[in-house]
Amino acid sequence: MDEEQINSAIIEYLLYKGFNETVQHFKDELIKNKKISQKDIISGSALIQKEMMRALRMGDGARFFQLWSEYIPINIRSDDGKLLEFYIHIYFAIYPIHPFAENSSHSSSSLSASMSNLQKYLKNK
């Protein structure tokens, strides 16, 4: 295993455990010590954005919110992101009946499941 793979594994582990600020500091140290380039970090962010957009297009709310909680800083999620998070939950709730949905079965069971998820979200907020 080379150094780049080890650094990637460390970052992945820290993100998995929810140490988002530690990840940022670790990346800053890697850049400062020339172990990783800013370009590599930007390309990693682009991959995360693409994965989040894919989850939106496919109606995969579970995957989207997993990425949301892992990569969106908590200060954004708690302040400006609350309204956006609410709208995204609505999006996933109506996704099964949206006419342009890429992965929609338009079934009543998928609609009731998505509405149930929205209901759980509203009860917890």
Side-chain angles (χ1 to χ4, degrees):
M1 196 180 254
D2 68 355
E3 189 173 352
E4 185 178 329
Q5 290 174 321
I6 293 170
N7 289 337
S8 294
I10 291 169
I11 290 170
E12 184 177 341
Y13 175 78
L14 291 171
L15 288 171
Y16 172 74
K17 289 296 190 176
F19 296 111
N20 296 328
E21 289 180 31
T22 305
V23 168
Q24 189 56 51
H25 291 296
F26 183 66
K27 287 179 179 178
D28 292 343
E29 288 289 322
L30 289 173
I31 291 169
K32 189 169 95 175
N33 294 327
K34 305 289 188 228
K35 302 289 184 189
I36 190 173
S37 69
Q38 187 69 31
K39 180 183 169 192
D40 293 336
I41 290 176
I42 291 170
S43 68
S45 297
L47 291 173
I48 293 164
Q49 289 174 358
K50 285 181 183 178
E51 180 64 18
M52 289 181 85
M53 291 304 295
R54 188 204 62 75
L56 274 171
R57 281 191 311 277
M58 299 305 290
D60 189 352
R63 177 70 176 141
F64 179 86
F65 284 111
Q66 175 192 8
L67 294 167
W68 175 269
S69 64
E70 288 178 16
Y71 296 106
I72 304 299
I74 193 139
N75 62 327
I76 292 175
R77 285 185 280 143
S78 61
D79 296 335
D80 300 332
K82 286 223 182 262
L83 185 60
L84 177 59
E85 184 178 2
F86 173 70
Y87 286 144
I88 294 169
H89 274 281
I90 291 173
Y91 170 83
F92 285 118
I94 63 169
Y95 184 86
I97 60 172
H98 194 282
F100 298 112
E102 292 181 18
N103 193 30
S104 178
S105 61
H106 296 285
S107 70
S108 61
S109 64
S110 61
L111 180 60
S112 64
S114 66
M115 288 297 170
S116 176
N117 288 337
L118 177 62
Q119 195 173 31
K120 287 177 194 173
Y121 167 76
L122 292 173
K123 285 182 181 178
N124 291 330
K125 296 296 174 182

